[in-house]
Amino acid sequence: MPFYYRMKLLDKIGREFSGYNILESGKRLLDRKPLQCSLYVTDRCNLDCAYCTEYDNSRPHPSLDDLKKWIRKIRELGTMRIALVGGEPLVHPNIVELVRYCRELGFATSLTTNGFLLTRKLLAELEDAGLQVIQISVDRMTPSPITKKSFKTILPKLDYFRDSKISLHITGVICADTLPESRAVLETGLSRGIPTEVRLVHADPLHRFRVDRGPREALERFIDSMIERKHRGEKIHTSEAILNYQRSLLRGEHVEWTCMAGYKLFFVSAQGKFWICSMVHTNKDIMDVTLDDLYANYRKKSCQEGCGVYCAVGASLLVEKPVRVLGKEIVARAKRIPSMFRRSLTPDADKATHSAITNPDGTHEMNGSTNGGPSADNRVTSGKSV
Ligand SMILES: C[S@@+](CC[C@H](N)C(=O)[O-])C[C@H]1O[C@@H](n2cnc3c(N)ncnc32)[C@H](O)[C@@H]1O
Ligand code: SF4
Ligand code: SF4
């Protein structure tokens, strides 16, 4: 194999394994400091998803000075990764400066967005500011009264990522409204080489969502199909542990775990309050939180049964059983290497992937074909993952 293609292959293999940031995260598996914080940079949002309780347009944006103060404090606690969330983070007028500030302080930085306000120029600015990961939320192929987050809006924007260093992944919510299109959402992302995940709507014990969860058997079949695809090495953007967890939720099976929310990961509200997770809030100011306060949250919680805060479940399972969780992920990613190798022997395949990413009519690859699944090419997903 010519030198150039050999180096490209090595680069791709390296990227496959950088996603879990194993060495960096490893430090936080051994000490008492937090791994990740999700910071609500605003409560405001330009959409109104029927399953969402995480936005409030009656509140003003927090000021840049306050946000920077909270970000400094989050870093002082030893937090390694920061996830900028909301509301919709892209409606905050200073979002680029916030990303730059997080990077200057040394955070691995990600941003979760509905993507509606994303432009080529804004993506370039975020990249220049050092953003490493973007999660775009896509629930359906076409908008519905329940959720407007669909590939109709996002497909034309995937082209922006063609040469971007920002790592993109796609996440969708499954509920009765979206389930008929969830498979197509998954196929559309995977067929373009984008790590993609669709996950069950959170549990709703207080009946605050305006959606139905969907029929249990169909949901279970769908989760099973994602587990199978994960086994085959496809780029399902979640761990097997979380897929199994969701299947257990549907079956009503008890899962043994200890929630690390409020300790290894925590949330900071757009008013600067320390939140255990997106569902469990406290009135404590983040500026007053100590490492001992965080450690006090290392305990089983009364709300664990049926918990749908998958980022918290995932981080907790990782911290509890790092060898098992990471081992399975490494095996899944290793399964992609043979197809990477094949593609590196046919250099034109890269061009084909480019056109797949930019092809706004994804329907030809949406019918459950596993061959049309994630290519080993990681061009849209280049860059570090947090
Ligand atoms: C609260 S949103 C904030 C960021 C941005 N506005 C967005 O929609 O991506 C963060 C993520 O939570 C997901 N989400 C919101 N409510 C949810 C629910 N009830 N169950 C599961 N996921 C939910 C959204 O789809 C999105 O992927
Ligand atoms: S776009 Fe995000 S924050 Fe806005 S309503 Fe939908 S899920 Fe909630
Ligand atoms: S169990 Fe779930 S809802 Fe309860 S604190 Fe932990 S992450 Fe939050």
Side-chain angles (χ1 to χ4, degrees):
M1 192 192 302
F3 180 73
Y4 170 76
Y5 292 114
R6 222 180 308 158
M7 293 316 290
K8 248 181 127 185
L9 175 62
L10 283 177
D11 179 47
K12 284 176 188 171
I13 293 173
R15 283 177 188 176
E16 274 312 327
F17 289 95
S18 68
Y20 248 78
N21 232 341
I22 293 171
L23 287 179
E24 271 210 24
S25 306
K27 286 187 217 157
R28 290 298 172 267
L29 302 181
L30 301 172
D31 63 23
R32 285 188 174 191
K33 292 179 180 171
L35 179 62
Q36 173 163 334
C37 172
S38 295
L39 171 64
Y40 289 80
V41 299
T42 183
D43 284 323
R44 303 182 71 84
C45 185
N46 50 345
L47 298 183
D48 172 30
C49 307
Y51 51 69
C52 180
T53 52
E54 295 186 59
Y55 80 101
D56 181 349
N57 285 327
S58 70
R59 295 187 168 142
H61 295 304
S63 73
L64 182 61
D65 281 350
D66 277 343
L67 282 161
K68 284 187 168 176
K69 183 175 72 178
W70 304 333
I71 291 169
R72 275 196 303 278
K73 170 70 186 188
I74 295 165
R75 188 65 178 159
E76 279 161 23
L77 288 167
T79 317
M80 293 196 129
R81 313 172 183 177
I82 193 159
L84 305 177
V85 298
E88 172 48 44
L90 296 188
V91 303
H92 196 289
N94 304 112
I95 190 64
V96 174
E97 193 171 341
L98 283 170
V99 168
R100 196 178 299 284
Y101 192 64
C102 291
R103 294 295 289 138
E104 277 167 14
L105 294 190
F107 281 110
T109 308
S110 68
L111 182 146
T112 301
T113 175
N114 60 41
F116 275 60
L117 297 175
L118 193 65
T119 59
R120 197 181 286 280
K121 180 168 171 283
L122 179 55
L123 186 76
E125 287 170 359
L126 290 167
E127 180 177 343
D128 181 64
L131 185 68
Q132 290 151 300
V133 176
I134 280 194
Q135 171 186 313
I136 300 187
S137 306
V138 179
D139 300 329
R140 294 175 45 97
M141 299 307 293
T142 52
S144 77
I146 297 292
T147 168
K148 304 269 173 297
K149 296 190 293 196
S150 78
F151 265 123
K152 183 169 178 228
T153 311
I154 299 306
L155 268 179
K157 302 190 183 214
L158 295 182
D159 185 45
Y160 307 165
F161 289 86
R162 190 199 281 199
D163 298 314
S164 174
K165 288 201 205 83
I166 298 177
S167 172
L168 166 69
H169 64 261
I170 284 171
T171 299
V173 171
I174 316 175
C175 59
D177 173 77
T178 60
L179 180 62
E181 302 202 350
S182 292
R183 193 172 299 276
V185 168
L186 196 64
E187 291 303 331
T188 303
L190 294 179
S191 65
R192 284 162 176 74
I194 304 168
T196 304
E197 170 205 8
V198 283
R199 59 189 176 202
L200 302 177
V201 69
H202 296 154
D204 185 19
L206 302 177
H207 306 290
R208 291 182 302 165
F209 306 160
R210 291 167 280 142
V211 297
D212 293 328
R213 190 175 72 162
R216 197 190 64 78
E217 293 80 9
L219 292 170
E220 201 178 320
R221 275 198 302 279
F222 190 65
I223 299 290
D224 278 342
S225 72
M226 277 195 286
I227 293 174
E228 256 174 52
R229 297 182 76 155
K230 182 83 189 172
H231 280 168
R232 286 200 293 264
E234 297 193 30
K235 287 186 177 174
I236 306 289
H237 188 75
T238 190
S239 68
E240 195 182 326
I242 285 296
L243 291 168
N244 287 334
Y245 175 83
Q246 291 182 76
R247 185 168 59 186
S248 296
L249 278 188
L250 289 169
R251 291 179 177 171
E253 293 168 353
H254 171 75
V255 180
E256 194 49 45
W257 65 295
T258 300
C259 171
M260 308 267 179
Y263 167 45
K264 283 291 166 190
L265 78 159
F266 62 95
F267 288 61
V268 174
S269 80
Q271 283 73 47
K273 299 294 179 195
F274 169 74
W275 286 358
I276 306 281
C277 72
S278 52
M279 297 282 159
V280 180
H281 304 170
T282 82
N283 240 335
K284 197 173 175 90
D285 202 298
I286 180 60
M287 301 309 289
D288 299 329
V289 170
T290 64
L291 280 178
D292 285 342
D293 292 333
L294 295 181
Y295 191 63
N297 290 311
Y298 179 20
R299 55 183 163 78
K300 286 201 191 295
K301 318 267 195 317
S302 58
C303 41
Q304 264 185 226
E305 209 63 43
C307 168
V309 185
Y310 304 114
C311 61
V313 182
S316 303
L317 293 174
L318 175 67
V319 173
E320 260 186 325
K321 296 175 184 156
V323 175
R324 191 190 296 180
V325 174
L326 284 176
K328 286 197 172 176
E329 188 62 27
I330 288 168
V331 169
R333 290 181 190 212
K335 287 183 184 156
R336 296 176 198 158
I337 292 175
S339 67
M340 268 183 223
F341 192 72
R342 280 196 298 279
R343 289 179 72 84
S344 68
L345 292 173
T346 50
D348 280 350
D350 276 355
K351 284 185 206 148
T353 307
H354 258 186
S355 61
I357 294 160
T358 55
N359 172 15
D361 173 20
T363 49
H364 64 287
E365 282 168 326
M366 287 186 332
N367 295 325
S369 141
T370 50
N371 296 336
S375 85
D377 188 288
N378 215 12
R379 192 178 300 273
V380 239
T381 60
S382 59
K384 270 202 226 158
S385 187
V386 284

